[in-house]
Amino acid sequence: MKKQIVFLVLLLVFFSANAQQKKVSGLVPGTVFVLKKTTLPDSLFSTYYHQRLTHFRSLPITKNDIVFIGNSITDGAEWSELFADNRIKNRGISGDISAGVLNRIDEIIIRKPAKVFLLIGTNDLPRNTSTDSIFKNITKIAAYLKQESPSTKLYVQSILPVNDVYKKFGGHTSKGEQIKQLNASLKQNATAFNYTYIDLHTPFCDQNGKLIKEFTNDGLHLKGEGYLMWKHLVYPYVFDLESKPSLLPKPQQLKWNNGYFSLTGVTTIVTDNPALAKEALVLKNAMEQKGLNVKLANKVSDAANYIQLRLGKVASPQNQSEAYHLETAKDKIVLTANSSQGVFNGIQTLLQLMRDNVFVDAAEITDWPAFAWRGFMVDVGRNFQSVKLLKQQIDAMAAYKLNIFHFHPTEDIAWRLQSKLYPQLTNPEFMLRDKGEYYTESDLKELINYCKERYITLVPEIDMPGHSAAFKRAMGVDMQSDEGLEIVKNIIKEFCATYDVPYLHLGADEVKITNQKFLPEVIALTESLGKKVIGWEPGGNFTDSVIRQLWMEGATKVSKNQNIKYLDSRHLYLNHMDPLESVVTIFNRQICNLTEGNENALGGIVCVWNDRAVANEEDVMTMNPVYPGMLAFAERSWRGGGNAGWTATIGERDSERAIAFTEFENRLLDQKKQYFKGLDFNYVKQANLVWDIYGPFDNKGDLTKTFAPEKPKFNASKEKPMYKATGGTLVMRHWWAPLISGVIEQPKENTTWYAQTQIWSDEDKQQEFWIGFNNFSRSMNTDSPVAGTWNNLNSLIWVNNELVNPPIWKRPNQKGDLEIPLIDEGYEFREPTKITLKKGWNTVRVKLPVGSFKGSNWQNPVKWMFTFVEVSE
């Protein structure tokens, strides 16, 4: 008793005597303090406490740690294994109290961790420490951590409930009401003390408000099942995810319910229909890759904890063959669809629901695609890609319910499709790049089957009669000659006899038709061999039976012909898009200018045409927003909807359009964090950046001329901006205006505009940013920047009035050349710019002059735009 009294006196001294008023984050709302740390006598703590603490202090200091700190309940978990992440560190000490954490918080602070998860107070209560005193200790921990390590995010977890059913730890299990009181205080004061409150108490309670019996064997400490629930509850905080799984594409109908389906132990996948055996195996394999134990059964009665796959009637307004209904509950998951493809679609959603590999939140989903064709195209004629890399992209397509893989292997650069009739087509001497690289018969068959297993249709394109210079080099004749036409017919016959595909794309774009019989004859032949034909529009002299793939806005006349089916690829070329702009543009699109498909408007295909040579195949993925664009297109083509017209803007921050984009962006970034580790996914958060746009200022053609926003006396808070714009990439005027709108509604030549924003930093530090002023299309002979400039428009950028220097270009002044690979011209594939930020608000100002909107040539369009956005993991 004497020792306890001494301890309480020392604690009060420790708490109250170490604060001096200064302007730093405070202990009491509205008050500011600098907190000084003193150490309590060692005699107040157990030998185990000191054993653990000396051990902690001897461990290496590592970056980006995620620390769990607390008492025996924290101490008992294998956190790094539980989350499969070595960044997560256990700083629990059995028997510890809030004063003990205060005493050792410096060991945490010195590491400057990314996050701290605190759960403390359970052991204070049996000592008859008041809830107010415990609360004050916890808030002092929060204040001191914020003061000494401002960038560390603190999560204060509620005290867990207790249960007296086991008649153990009576001093603890009798404190249920005090626990509730303390949790209420912690929740109420979270904002004031700069922490995030996590309610563990409610989910751990049974109907009587006590710790769920199955989670414990003594009423206080947790068993394995309890730690799995803990993981499920804090998982989104640990990995910066949305509170519920971020499903993408978002289902047409989604309702979250109460409860969880457990994935641990042994889960049984049940299907009584042999037609779904393949899908059951797909799910089983995917779950086992997650480390989950799974078995198969053909009767529900054989299973206690089961996932059932079944065929049944699922109503949907369109595309019923792909629709599914998914219901997840505490004891079962039932996935019903009209077809095996619908079941496969539902499995992709279910796997996203399994994000933490321990529980699936209860939900009811009814889902179907708005468009029947949801495609992705890759040009492997110009730049060869290995089968392995293609399969990587096909896997991503399947996971996000895309179902058309448009494969383009023949080009002017090279013919990359094996022909046994004409083997010279793939001879290295007739290729201009990646010489000798082509797809054998077995390669293409492997890709076709790989797609089929994932309910993806591979659509091969043999481009004719245009884009056929490689054919002419190899065969010595033009395709449109009589001899060339016969060779083409033989190739088509060989192809159709060899490959089991329903469609053959004949291209036929960007060519002067000199032989009017060429296309009608090859179309008739292809159709007679059982293949449906697709061609580009604008293109050649097609028959109405040919499905048109639109690539220019002028092709909208096709949609008026009820005899023609068509696909949309207009302004869906990722090779022309800035990474941040790509997601904005595609998310806002209406595919086929419609909110949903019909018998004629089949859907769309997003394309990667990397005309420019690359140094290696991975550069296609690095220099183009392949995965961000693919996922944005997956969302829009599955969900339908979108906005009329084409735009590169997010919209004003609180507009309906901006709110919808922000919600999607959060889900997109969750997908990046969870499923694209180690892959190129060149997209970062941008919807939180809001810019004030000032102008126009008449520069009379002098792009160096200065205006008021550059003057020291300019006060942005007193000036009304012309526009408010949101995003990390702002396109002032799109280079394809007026088809695509930018920030400025009626842009004029010879004007200068300024953009200004503020960004917050918790401390003085260096931060990496993407900064750019000219997104190089990967399909043009664009000239490299002049040394010492960001671009040829004399654009400038300041942070806190300090000019940010442009990169030291590796190839300044380089004239554009498709055979010279890009190397550092794009912000997404060069080292980010490091900028020193001060603690507090930092002002960013961008100068954006423009002269004529007409570029020096079509290879160098005037891209009046800029990118400034923080790059963070």
Side-chain angles (χ1 to χ4, degrees):
M1 184 68 181
K2 288 182 179 179
K3 184 173 182 179
Q4 188 178 65
I5 292 171
V6 171
F7 172 80
L8 290 173
V9 170
L10 286 171
L11 177 58
L12 289 172
V13 171
F14 175 77
F15 176 76
S16 61
N18 294 290
Q20 299 176 13
Q21 289 189 349
K22 288 193 179 179
K23 292 189 177 181
V24 182
S25 176
L27 181 60
V28 179
T31 307
V32 288
F33 292 91
V34 166
L35 303 169
K36 290 187 177 180
K37 175 72 168 56
T38 59
T39 304
L40 293 174
D42 288 347
S43 60
L44 293 179
F45 303 103
S46 69
T47 55
Y48 181 71
Y49 177 97
H50 291 296
Q51 289 164 4
R52 292 283 282 172
L53 183 52
T54 57
H55 178 45
F56 296 156
R57 287 177 172 156
S58 70
L59 294 173
I61 294 176
T62 49
K63 293 182 178 180
N64 297 316
D65 284 350
I66 299 170
V67 178
F68 279 73
I69 187 169
N71 50 40
S72 60
I73 303 173
T74 298
D75 194 355
E78 301 295 342
W79 293 105
S80 61
E81 289 184 68
L82 189 61
F83 285 92
D85 193 324
N86 288 329
R87 295 176 303 159
I88 300 177
K89 305 298 194 298
N90 190 336
R91 291 297 184 267
I93 298 181
S94 181
D96 205 3
I97 55 177
S98 57
V101 174
L102 273 168
N103 188 59
R104 62 187 175 96
I105 192 65
D106 59 320
E107 186 275 322
I108 305 297
I109 287 172
I110 198 172
R111 299 173 181 279
K112 307 292 183 184
K115 299 179 181 181
V116 169
F117 288 81
L118 172 67
L119 195 161
I120 198 67
T122 302
N123 293 326
D124 292 66
L125 293 171
R127 297 169 181 257
N128 294 319
T129 306
S130 70
T131 56
D132 184 57
S133 294
I134 302 169
F135 168 73
K136 288 180 178 178
N137 281 351
I138 291 173
T139 56
K140 186 170 184 181
I141 292 168
Y144 192 64
L145 183 64
K146 183 67 176 176
Q147 173 183 292
E148 299 299 319
S149 186
S151 294
T152 299
K153 295 180 182 178
L154 174 62
Y155 300 86
V156 174
Q157 301 162 104
S158 67
I159 311 300
L160 292 174
V162 290
N163 196 326
D164 57 4
V165 66
Y166 295 104
K167 309 301 181 183
K168 297 181 180 181
F169 296 98
H172 296 76
T173 59
S174 61
K175 304 297 183 181
E177 288 305 312
Q178 290 94 322
I179 289 173
K180 291 178 183 178
Q181 292 170 16
L182 178 55
N183 287 340
S185 295
L186 292 172
K187 180 179 180 180
Q188 182 179 351
N189 291 278
T191 302
F193 292 100
N194 298 297
Y195 61 79
T196 300
Y197 175 78
I198 303 177
D199 178 17
L200 302 182
H201 188 276
T202 303
F204 271 85
C205 281
D206 63 17
Q207 60 186 3
N208 298 314
K210 297 185 177 183
L211 178 61
I212 295 172
K213 186 178 178 181
E214 290 74 20
F215 287 165
T216 183
N217 58 5
D218 62 12
L220 176 64
H221 300 96
L222 298 180
K223 299 194 307 183
E225 295 88 342
Y227 284 111
L228 293 177
M229 175 57 74
W230 195 344
K231 173 186 177 179
H232 180 70
L233 296 172
V234 301
Y235 189 87
Y237 300 98
V238 169
F239 295 114
D240 291 318
L241 305 174
E242 296 293 285
S243 59
K244 294 289 187 182
S246 295
L247 303 180
L248 198 157
K250 188 176 182 180
Q252 303 286 0
Q253 297 175 3
L254 167 63
K255 178 187 176 185
W256 296 108
N257 296 321
N258 294 324
Y260 316 92
F261 177 88
S262 175
L263 294 168
T264 57
V266 177
T267 300
T268 303
I269 299 172
V270 179
T271 179
D272 58 3
N273 192 325
L276 297 179
K278 187 186 83 171
E279 284 63 47
L281 193 58
V282 166
L283 179 57
K284 180 178 186 291
N285 291 338
M287 291 179 68
E288 288 178 343
Q289 288 177 7
K290 291 173 170 283
L292 301 171
N293 294 319
V294 188
K295 65 179 183 179
L296 300 176
N298 56 18
K299 292 181 181 178
V300 170
S301 59
D302 296 338
N305 202 40
Y306 67 89
I307 301 172
Q308 184 179 14
L309 309 180
R310 63 191 187 98
L311 297 177
K313 179 63 176 176
V314 178
S316 66
Q318 71 253 33
N319 301 313
Q320 289 194 359
S321 65
E322 291 201 70
Y324 67 92
H325 179 80
L326 178 62
E327 188 166 1
T328 62
K330 182 177 181 180
D331 58 344
K332 64 183 177 181
I333 294 175
V334 180
L335 172 56
T336 308
N338 299 316
S339 69
S340 57
Q341 184 175 6
V343 170
F344 184 84
N345 289 336
I347 287 172
Q348 308 315 308
T349 300
L350 178 56
L351 291 173
Q352 290 186 26
L353 288 170
M354 296 178 181
R355 67 175 179 178
D356 60 22
N357 301 335
V358 287
F359 287 101
V360 172
D361 290 296
E364 185 172 359
I365 294 169
T366 303
D367 203 11
W368 65 88
F371 290 91
W373 285 52
R374 305 175 304 281
F376 170 73
M377 191 228 83
V378 59
D379 168 15
V380 292
R382 291 181 173 90
N383 290 290
F384 179 82
Q385 292 186 31
S386 65
V387 170
K388 180 182 178 181
L389 183 57
L390 294 174
K391 284 183 176 180
Q392 179 198 110
Q393 294 164 79
I394 293 166
D395 285 340
M397 290 176 62
Y400 298 98
K401 305 183 180 69
L402 296 180
N403 63 354
I404 300 292
F405 180 50
H406 181 172
F407 183 67
H408 182 90
T410 70
E411 256 302 333
D412 290 333
I413 295 292
W415 183 288
R416 302 197 191 277
L417 194 58
Q418 182 184 31
S419 169
K420 292 182 178 178
L421 282 176
Y422 304 104
Q424 62 267 47
L425 284 168
T426 51
N427 283 354
E429 59 264 35
F430 301 126
M431 297 181 178
L432 303 183
R433 296 181 197 155
D434 302 325
K435 296 188 175 187
E437 298 285 6
Y438 65 93
Y439 302 93
T440 65
E441 179 182 317
S442 62
D443 287 338
L444 186 51
K445 285 182 175 178
E446 182 180 352
L447 286 172
I448 291 168
N449 289 331
Y450 198 79
C451 286
K452 282 183 179 179
E453 290 170 359
R454 291 155 180 77
Y455 293 94
I456 294 171
T457 300
L458 188 147
V459 175
E461 180 178 353
I462 303 177
D463 216 337
M464 60 182 73
H467 294 265
S468 58
F471 172 95
K472 187 173 183 179
R473 288 193 298 272
M475 306 310 301
V477 295
D478 187 273
M479 270 192 181
Q480 295 193 69
S481 67
D482 290 342
E483 185 180 354
L485 178 55
E486 287 305 308
I487 295 172
V488 168
K489 287 181 178 179
N490 289 336
I491 291 171
I492 290 173
K493 290 174 187 176
E494 178 189 24
F495 185 90
C496 293
T498 304
Y499 301 108
D500 181 18
V501 290
Y503 301 92
L504 180 58
H505 200 306
L506 301 181
D509 61 311
E510 297 183 314
V511 63
K512 182 179 181 181
I513 301 295
T514 59
N515 183 348
Q516 292 298 316
K517 68 180 182 179
F518 182 91
L519 279 172
E521 289 192 13
V522 297
I523 290 168
L525 172 62
T526 305
E527 291 177 341
S528 73
L529 296 172
K531 310 296 183 186
K532 296 178 183 177
V533 176
I534 306 173
W536 290 104
E537 182 69 43
N541 50 326
F542 297 121
T543 59
D544 282 0
S545 61
V546 174
I547 298 170
R548 312 300 171 83
Q549 187 172 355
L550 314 183
W551 66 279
M552 286 185 68
E553 177 61 10
T556 50
K557 65 181 185 294
V558 169
S559 62
K560 299 176 182 178
N561 187 333
Q562 294 302 307
N563 297 318
I564 297 176
K565 298 180 185 299
Y566 64 97
L567 301 161
D568 196 355
S569 289
R570 297 165 302 172
H571 192 41
L572 290 173
Y573 287 10
L574 298 177
N575 47 290
H576 284 309
M577 293 182 180
D578 173 279
L580 302 181
E581 175 226 347
S582 70
V583 172
V584 175
T585 295
I586 295 171
F587 177 78
N588 279 298
R589 278 293 304 276
Q590 287 184 345
I591 309 301
C592 298
N593 294 348
L594 300 170
T595 57
E596 61 184 31
N598 55 48
E599 289 185 0
N600 293 88
L602 301 178
I605 299 177
V606 66
C607 306
V608 182
W609 299 97
N610 206 114
D611 293 67
R612 194 154 184 162
V614 294
N616 57 72
E617 65 174 0
E618 289 80 12
D619 283 353
V620 173
M621 310 298 291
T622 304
M623 297 179 178
N624 296 285
V626 175
Y627 288 133
M630 178 190 290
L631 268 60
F633 183 75
E635 171 87 0
R636 183 53 63 221
S637 59
W638 181 275
R639 289 278 297 173
N643 298 287
W646 299 353
T647 184
T649 67
I650 294 174
E652 290 199 24
R653 186 170 199 167
D654 296 323
S655 66
E656 183 177 346
R657 192 156 60 86
I659 291 170
F661 179 81
T662 301
E663 189 273 340
F664 168 72
E665 182 182 69
N666 290 339
R667 287 186 287 118
L668 177 71
L669 290 171
D670 276 12
Q671 298 295 318
K672 174 185 177 180
K673 294 168 192 171
Q674 294 174 98
Y675 307 117
F676 289 88
K677 294 175 182 176
L679 300 178
D680 289 303
F681 198 107
N682 39 16
Y683 187 84
V684 295
K685 188 173 186 62
Q686 61 169 326
N688 57 327
L689 269 174
V690 179
W691 299 84
D692 291 329
I693 311 296
Y694 299 96
F697 299 94
D698 184 2
N699 63 40
K700 297 182 173 21
D702 180 3
L703 304 189
T704 65
K705 193 171 183 179
T706 61
F707 298 96
E710 293 182 58
K711 309 296 183 183
K713 294 183 179 180
F714 182 77
N715 188 339
S717 62
K718 294 183 179 180
E719 300 290 336
K720 184 178 179 181
M722 180 66 71
Y723 300 105
K724 291 264 189 187
T726 305
T729 288
L730 295 190
V731 177
M732 310 305 284
R733 174 191 181 272
H734 203 282
W735 46 101
W736 288 329
L739 283 177
I740 304 160
S741 64
V743 171
I744 301 174
E745 293 176 2
Q746 294 181 323
K748 295 181 179 180
E749 296 181 325
N750 300 317
T751 56
T752 297
W753 292 73
Y754 293 84
Q756 185 161 308
T757 192
Q758 289 194 310
I759 54 177
W760 175 266
S761 178
D762 289 314
E763 58 186 336
D764 295 339
K765 64 177 182 180
Q766 271 208 332
Q767 179 62 50
E768 292 185 337
F769 289 86
W770 276 346
I771 304 178
F773 288 89
N774 181 11
N775 173 250
F776 275 46
S777 168
R778 281 67 66 192
S779 294
M780 294 178 177
N781 290 328
T782 308
D783 300 338
S784 296
V786 173
T789 68
W790 284 102
N791 63 356
N792 62 355
L793 298 179
N794 286 282
S795 299
L796 299 172
I797 182 167
W798 298 264
V799 176
N800 297 328
N801 294 318
E802 292 289 330
L803 194 65
V804 179
N805 293 323
I808 299 174
W809 305 108
K810 294 180 180 178
R811 280 198 299 254
N813 314 311
Q814 173 68 55
K815 285 297 180 183
D817 187 332
L818 287 182
E819 299 310 311
I820 299 178
L822 296 173
I823 186 170
D824 66 346
E825 294 83 356
Y827 63 78
E828 69 275 27
F829 52 89
R830 65 172 175 262
E831 286 294 316
T833 301
K834 289 184 173 64
I835 292 178
T836 300
L837 299 180
K838 65 180 182 180
K839 183 176 180 178
W841 288 107
N842 295 261
T843 301
V844 182
R845 186 170 69 253
V846 183
K847 181 179 183 178
L848 298 159
V850 70
S852 170
F853 291 149
K854 185 178 180 181
S856 58
N857 53 49
W858 73 273
Q859 305 275 12
N860 288 275
V862 175
K863 291 195 171 183
W864 193 21
M865 61 186 295
F866 76 93
T867 297
F868 179 90
V869 67
E870 180 179 334
V871 181
S872 58
E873 294 298 328

